[in-house]
Amino acid sequence: MAATLACISTIAFGQNPFYVGGKLCKSMPASSTGPGGTPTTADCNEPTIFFDEDPLSTAWLWDFGDGKTSDLRNPNHLYAQAGTYTVTLTRTKGGVQQAPVTRTITISQPPTQPTFKGQISKDSTVCDGKTITLNPYNVLEKGSPEPPGVKYLWYPNGETTKTIDVTKSGCYSVEVFDASGQCSRTAKINVKFCMQSAGGGGAEKWYFGKGATLEFGINPTSVVPRDPLADNGDLFEPPNQDNPLYIPVQSTQSNPIDSPEGVAMVFDPKGDLVLYTDGVKIYSKDDQPVPFQLPPPATATSLPGTNTSTQSSLIVPKSNCNECPHHLYYVYTMNETTGRLSYSIVDMRRNGGQGAIVETDIPVSLASTEQIVTKSIEDDKKNMVFFVYSQDKTTGQFKVLKIDSTGSNLVNQPPITNKIPDESGYMKISPNGRKLATAYIKDGKNYIEVYGINATTGVLTLVHTIELGNAPPKIYGVEFSQDGEKLYYTLRGAPSSTVKSYLYQLNLNLSSDAQISQQKKQIAESSTHVFGALQMGPTNAGTGGFIYMAVDGSTEIAYITQPDALITSNVAVVNYISFNQATAPNVVGTSKLGLPNVVHAKPQQDGDGLSATYKGTCQNQPTIFETKGICSPMKNEVSWDFGDGTKGKGTQVSHIYTKPGRYTITMTVEVYAETAISKVVNIPVLGNSLREKCDVFTVIDEINIKPSPIINLADSTYACFREGATLLLDPKAQNTVDPTYLWRPRNETTPTITVDVQSTYTTFVTNNFTSQSGELYTCTTDDKIVVEDKCDPRLFIPEAFSPNGDGVNDVLETPNKYITDYDLKIYNRWGEIIFQSLDPFDKWDGSYKGQIMAPMLYAFVVSYKSEYFPKRPKITKSGGILLIR
């Protein structure tokens, strides 16, 4: 690749230099959106960087030649127009304003925006085994013509041709440079070959000391297979990791690092190691030194840093606007002799995709302490933003840099009244990114300062200044617990001078700095070894990792397994594993004082596997299966075999299992890529004939259906509550497992209940299942019964009566309740009706046509209906009534 395509241009000048770097380009606003709301260009402007390298300067006035000015030592500036500008710097030294110095710079015009299928950021999925040609200026795909004189640089492999052929899944971006080589625009495309693995995701390792390697693995006890009793989960995936715990594992790999203190490492979005450095050399993941490819006349053979400072280096991925993450990395180093903090840039597209250093010694600060750390956040566009913290050793003030898609920008950090350290230990940021701690020695005393961090701006506010006794022993390592409420620190001893090393815990929740100091808890000490840096190991989803401690000259490393535990009396609560215990991890090489500054890029989730979810695993209740398909946006046809002889189709299906047990679930996905003709022609009768079938994928898993209770409760019933009746409700539950009951609205929990009030009663019968891990799962069946206050009809026909005038039983009465449509007829022996009534409360005095009938047996027929059950048929009764004289 031609040197003129370096991403950063550097101009250094004369005996009174000031630095000019960055992209010397006109700023370009983002264009309006195109069809479908897709932007046609992006606002990816990176400013021109200025830095006065004269250490004696105390005040500055910059004139950028376009009417804009600045009074900072290191301003950034965006030019609105291309052209030639004269930049003037007027310095002040010792209170005396110096003669201005000027330089001429040329600001160029960026090239025409490249696109893929008319978009600056595109996702594309194709059938595996195919080849796709990427062309950023393809007018047939709504692109623009190729501008004259432009040059190309592709990610990830650094091709310099206009087009590339792609056969592997991944993110591909092209940077197109103008003829000057200093201005560029980018476009990216995520190419996914259907079901092709993108690889990546190796185990995390730390390199430090002299060839020392600390490797981490997942504690097998934290890998939990899917619970067969679970009522929801994932199908067709490996066992779930329930907040996996990372533990040290035996490593057999050494490395070329030989550093008494500072090392830095960076991992990519897939979790793979990208680069590491000791501040002097940068190494690739393959342990090879990363070469320099600097624009002439610049030359270099090593970084401007050192490996003998506490935290002498840091590697930060640059979040690139509209580009694949990540192809640029900022490598910060500190020159131990001069205190100058600067950064170099590694472009991973160079050197056949292995990376090359394309810019070096870009100044950040002229006098820095030996500490540099970083924290990350996500901006409103979900891009990673890093804040880099260092401290000026001449003023004690913090310098905060914000690393985002526009490059490295200075944050306005208000001055903090703090001590200028005589010696520095480590600086650390809490896992939640809300606190920063720095250890230092001043006037023969050990101190830790704790700062609060603004989550959005990164600005620091002093919270604690904790004095921790005389030095030596000298304070060195610091590290927060996962919750940020405990702080651990080491005191570095000197065995040759009989000075012991110590490890302590501080409780940051105490009411005063003095109390925090007075109530420190000692965890370990050594008169023969020197304790060094502290660092939390890998964590997952908010669960804490172990805190590791470097021990100078040891082949093992010490660690704390319960750093969130607060020590009150017994230090064993934190479970400290000493470096000389049999369980201490061997690091292959030799530990020194330092541990690496480790940075991770934002994790990347490809999510293209054959996966599905299930919800509901109870008999006689819906089980929902859902998949998002694969190889989006390709067309998917999904079919299911539920394992009980039935099948279904669709990305979401519902199925009811009528019997409990284990069932084999088979999901088959047919993937189709639309052909050119099918995008134009839509003829439904042809079906899939206009679509190219990519492949057919089949996966198999198992699901356990738990038994549900079976309830035998009538829909309705009745009782004559108005007359004091009660009713027993019994669901007669069957198929139960450790059942529990609930009745509404009575809230009773007995298997049966007795009721005396009209209402609708609902019973919930629940089967309870407890897994081996103690998780409770349930299957509930509910049913309701309508209970009404209704009484059966009652009618009494006496067998005899005596109409003789003695006042006793003189008339025939028919006592009754809850009847309607009454009809009573009484007949003589010849079948004549001698008495008839439609009123059940009428009485017969035994007469017919004014004469009392002769004593004998008279036939009757009575009919009536039920008052509360009108749909019942009419009731008819017959018999005889004896008339007595």
Side-chain angles (χ1 to χ4, degrees):
M1 185 67 200
T4 55
L5 298 189
C7 293
I8 300 293
S9 300
T10 306
I11 308 174
F13 307 98
Q15 296 179 341
N16 294 308
F18 61 79
Y19 174 91
V20 181
K23 288 189 175 181
L24 308 185
C25 303
K26 169 188 173 182
S27 63
M28 300 290 291
S31 72
S32 59
T33 56
T38 305
T40 53
T41 64
D43 180 3
C44 297
N45 300 306
E46 295 192 29
T48 304
I49 302 170
F50 300 89
F51 192 98
D52 178 22
E53 299 187 273
D54 191 330
L56 301 179
S57 301
T58 56
W60 306 267
L61 177 61
W62 296 85
D63 184 338
F64 300 118
D66 62 351
K68 302 297 178 60
T69 62
S70 175
D71 59 359
L72 301 175
R73 177 187 285 275
N74 54 330
N76 292 346
H77 183 60
L78 284 169
Y79 285 90
Q81 298 296 329
T84 300
Y85 295 88
T86 299
V87 180
T88 303
L89 170 61
T90 304
R91 302 179 175 95
T92 297
K93 296 183 182 182
V96 178
Q97 193 173 77
Q98 306 296 300
V101 292
T102 61
R103 299 291 182 265
T104 300
I105 64 173
T106 299
I107 301 299
S108 300
Q109 174 85 22
T112 303
Q113 175 70 54
T115 61
F116 295 109
K117 298 184 182 295
Q119 299 180 24
I120 60 174
S121 180
K122 174 70 177 173
D123 292 334
S124 182
T125 306
V126 294
C127 298
D128 196 11
K130 302 290 185 179
T131 299
I132 181 171
T133 299
L134 304 182
N135 184 347
Y137 292 109
N138 189 344
V139 294
L140 297 178
E141 295 181 348
K142 301 180 182 179
S144 302
E146 179 183 18
V150 296
K151 298 181 175 64
Y152 303 87
L153 187 58
W154 289 86
Y155 177 86
N157 296 321
E159 298 93 336
T160 59
T161 53
K162 177 185 175 182
T163 65
I164 62 171
D165 290 336
V166 172
T167 59
K168 293 182 179 180
S169 294
C171 181
Y172 296 86
S173 64
V174 63
E175 187 170 8
V176 181
F177 294 84
D178 70 339
S180 72
Q182 64 185 25
C183 289
S184 64
R185 280 183 165 178
T186 60
K188 74 173 179 180
I189 181 169
N190 288 302
V191 180
K192 190 183 298 181
F193 288 87
C194 184
M195 290 299 289
Q196 183 187 91
S197 173
E204 184 170 329
K205 301 175 183 179
W206 291 354
Y207 298 161
F208 56 99
K210 184 176 177 59
T213 300
L214 182 59
E215 185 173 345
F216 303 95
I218 296 177
N219 188 340
T221 62
S222 69
V223 178
V224 182
R226 188 171 76 231
D227 190 336
L229 296 175
D231 49 21
N232 65 84
D234 297 318
L235 290 169
F236 319 122
E237 292 191 352
N240 294 323
Q241 296 173 0
D242 186 14
N243 289 329
L245 177 65
Y246 294 95
I247 59 174
V249 297
Q250 183 62 43
S251 177
T252 58
Q253 177 186 358
S254 186
N255 60 79
I257 287 292
D258 187 359
S259 173
E261 296 186 82
V263 176
M265 308 181 74
V266 67
F267 293 83
D268 69 10
K270 296 179 182 178
D272 291 325
L273 177 63
V274 182
L275 301 167
Y276 62 99
T277 182
D278 60 1
V280 180
K281 289 184 178 181
I282 303 175
Y283 296 90
S284 70
K285 63 181 179 181
D286 299 323
D287 303 325
Q288 299 301 311
V290 175
F292 287 85
Q293 290 183 4
L294 304 178
T299 60
T301 57
S302 64
L303 299 178
T306 180
N307 63 3
T308 59
S309 296
T310 309
Q311 289 165 287
S312 59
S313 55
L314 177 71
I315 308 176
V316 177
K318 178 179 181 291
S319 292
N320 298 95
C321 176
N322 197 40
E323 297 177 11
C324 299
H326 297 275
H327 71 251
L328 293 182
Y329 289 84
Y330 288 3
V331 183
Y332 290 86
T333 56
M334 200 278 292
N335 188 301
E336 185 180 35
T337 303
T338 65
R340 176 185 173 113
L341 178 65
S342 62
Y343 66 94
S344 303
I345 298 177
V346 176
D347 189 337
M348 295 307 297
R349 299 171 296 188
R350 308 300 180 94
N351 189 29
Q354 297 300 307
I357 304 165
V358 297
E359 188 70 8
T360 189
D361 204 18
I362 303 170
V364 173
S365 173
L366 295 179
S368 178
T369 64
E370 299 180 7
Q371 305 157 310
I372 180 171
V373 293
T374 186
K375 66 161 285 189
S376 64
I377 63 170
E378 281 190 8
D379 64 14
D380 55 359
K381 296 180 181 178
K382 302 299 182 182
N383 293 320
M384 289 286 282
V385 174
F386 289 87
F387 291 99
V388 173
Y389 296 87
S390 62
Q391 194 173 12
D392 192 303
K393 68 180 180 182
T394 61
T395 64
Q397 298 304 315
F398 280 91
K399 174 165 284 192
V400 184
L401 297 173
K402 183 180 180 181
I403 315 301
D404 58 15
S405 62
T406 66
S408 177
N409 302 282
L410 187 64
V411 173
N412 183 21
Q413 168 64 53
I416 299 174
T417 303
N418 52 6
K419 294 179 174 64
I420 302 173
D422 296 330
E423 292 185 58
S424 296
Y426 263 68
M427 182 188 296
K428 281 298 180 71
I429 293 175
S430 63
N432 59 17
R434 297 172 186 170
K435 296 178 182 178
L436 178 147
T438 178
Y440 64 90
I441 300 169
K442 180 67 178 176
D443 299 329
K445 293 184 179 296
N446 294 311
Y447 291 91
I448 289 178
E449 288 181 339
V450 180
Y451 296 82
I453 303 177
N454 183 288
T456 304
T457 65
V459 169
L460 301 175
T461 304
L462 182 62
V463 179
H464 299 292
T465 301
I466 308 166
E467 183 183 329
L468 294 167
N470 295 329
K474 297 180 178 181
I475 196 163
Y476 191 73
V478 290
E479 183 60 287
F480 288 92
S481 60
Q482 178 72 24
D483 59 16
E485 297 177 355
K486 275 74 68 178
L487 187 66
Y488 294 83
Y489 71 93
T490 59
L491 295 176
R492 189 181 65 187
S496 60
S497 303
T498 68
V499 178
K500 290 184 177 181
S501 292
Y502 298 91
L503 170 63
Y504 284 94
Q505 183 196 75
L506 298 177
N507 180 5
L508 298 180
N509 283 330
L510 296 176
S511 58
S512 70
D513 297 346
Q515 279 188 313
I516 294 174
S517 176
Q518 291 164 5
Q519 296 187 33
K520 61 182 180 289
K521 302 297 182 180
Q522 181 181 319
I523 300 171
E525 65 176 59
S526 177
S527 60
T528 57
H529 288 79
V530 180
F531 292 172
L534 296 169
Q535 186 156 307
M536 180 168 285
T539 64
N540 177 72
T543 59
F546 298 170
I547 289 182
Y548 295 86
M549 181 177 73
V551 180
D552 192 21
S554 175
T555 57
E556 287 84 26
I557 196 167
Y559 61 101
I560 297 169
T561 70
Q562 301 295 328
D564 272 357
L566 178 65
I567 301 173
T568 54
S569 57
N570 186 0
V571 299
V573 69
V574 298
N575 194 27
Y576 168 72
I577 308 298
S578 176
F579 60 95
N580 53 16
Q581 290 184 16
T583 54
N586 188 289
V587 295
V588 182
T590 303
S591 174
K592 299 295 185 181
L593 288 173
L595 289 174
N597 264 335
V598 177
V599 173
H600 292 86
K602 178 182 176 181
Q604 174 180 305
Q605 303 294 333
D606 290 333
D608 193 37
L610 276 165
S611 63
T613 60
Y614 67 92
K615 184 177 182 180
T617 57
C618 293
Q619 173 193 4
N620 294 324
Q621 297 178 24
T623 300
I624 308 297
F625 298 96
E626 184 173 8
T627 180
K628 293 182 179 179
I630 55 171
C631 305
S632 176
M634 286 183 169
K635 303 299 182 183
N636 287 250
E637 292 185 357
V638 183
S639 58
W640 303 81
D641 184 329
F642 301 119
D644 62 351
T646 58
K647 302 180 185 297
K649 284 185 177 292
T651 56
Q652 185 183 78
V653 293
S654 177
H655 182 63
I656 294 178
Y657 289 92
T658 59
K659 295 181 180 180
R662 293 183 177 273
Y663 293 89
T664 298
I665 308 300
T666 304
M667 182 178 74
T668 302
V669 182
E670 296 182 75
V671 183
Y672 296 88
E674 287 189 313
T675 63
I677 189 171
S678 70
K679 295 178 182 178
V680 178
V681 181
N682 182 17
I683 307 175
V685 73
L686 295 181
N688 292 334
S689 63
L690 296 182
R691 291 190 289 174
E692 173 191 5
K693 183 184 287 188
C694 256
D695 211 333
V696 178
F697 303 97
T698 299
V699 284
I700 299 174
D701 206 340
E702 191 175 73
I703 190 173
N704 181 47
I705 300 299
K706 304 185 292 291
S708 295
I710 298 173
I711 299 177
N712 297 291
L713 199 62
D715 293 336
S716 64
T717 190
Y718 65 93
C720 195
F721 297 134
R722 65 192 63 201
E723 294 188 358
T726 60
L727 183 67
L728 178 69
L729 298 182
D730 184 355
K732 298 181 176 62
Q734 299 175 341
N735 207 37
T736 57
V737 178
D738 189 20
T740 54
Y741 299 82
L742 177 63
W743 293 88
R744 300 288 192 190
R746 299 276 288 269
N747 293 329
E748 295 185 32
T749 57
T750 53
T752 63
I753 61 171
T754 300
V755 300
D756 58 4
V757 176
Q758 173 175 296
S759 185
T760 298
Y761 295 90
T762 304
T763 183
F764 300 86
V765 183
T766 300
N767 281 350
N768 294 278
F769 309 88
T770 303
S771 69
Q772 292 182 350
S773 63
E775 198 78 24
L776 177 65
Y777 300 102
T778 61
C779 285
T780 300
T781 302
D782 64 271
D783 199 1
K784 66 180 179 181
I785 182 171
V786 179
V787 179
E788 297 181 280
D789 185 4
K790 292 184 177 181
C791 300
D792 285 317
R794 297 208 296 268
L795 175 68
F796 176 70
I797 305 294
E799 294 180 354
F801 74 108
S802 56
N804 55 11
D806 62 359
V808 178
N809 203 20
D810 281 336
V811 295
L812 176 67
E813 296 182 280
T814 57
N816 66 89
K817 278 188 177 182
Y818 320 122
I819 67 174
T820 62
D821 296 343
Y822 175 84
D823 185 3
L824 172 65
K825 296 181 178 68
I826 299 176
Y827 300 88
N828 62 19
R829 69 180 64 182
W830 297 281
E832 294 179 286
I833 298 175
I834 58 175
F835 179 80
Q836 182 176 5
S837 176
L838 300 179
D839 184 350
F841 296 102
D842 278 354
K843 301 172 184 178
W844 182 41
D845 60 2
S847 67
Y848 175 63
K849 296 182 179 182
Q851 298 294 323
I852 297 298
M853 299 298 292
M856 66 175 57
L857 187 67
Y858 293 89
F860 75 88
V861 175
V862 64
S863 63
Y864 57 91
K865 293 189 70 173
S866 171
E867 177 183 359
Y868 288 109
F869 305 97
K871 292 183 179 181
R872 289 182 182 178
K874 181 174 278 192
I875 301 170
T876 301
K877 294 181 179 180
S878 61
I881 300 172
L882 181 63
L883 189 151
I884 303 173
R885 298 284 299 266

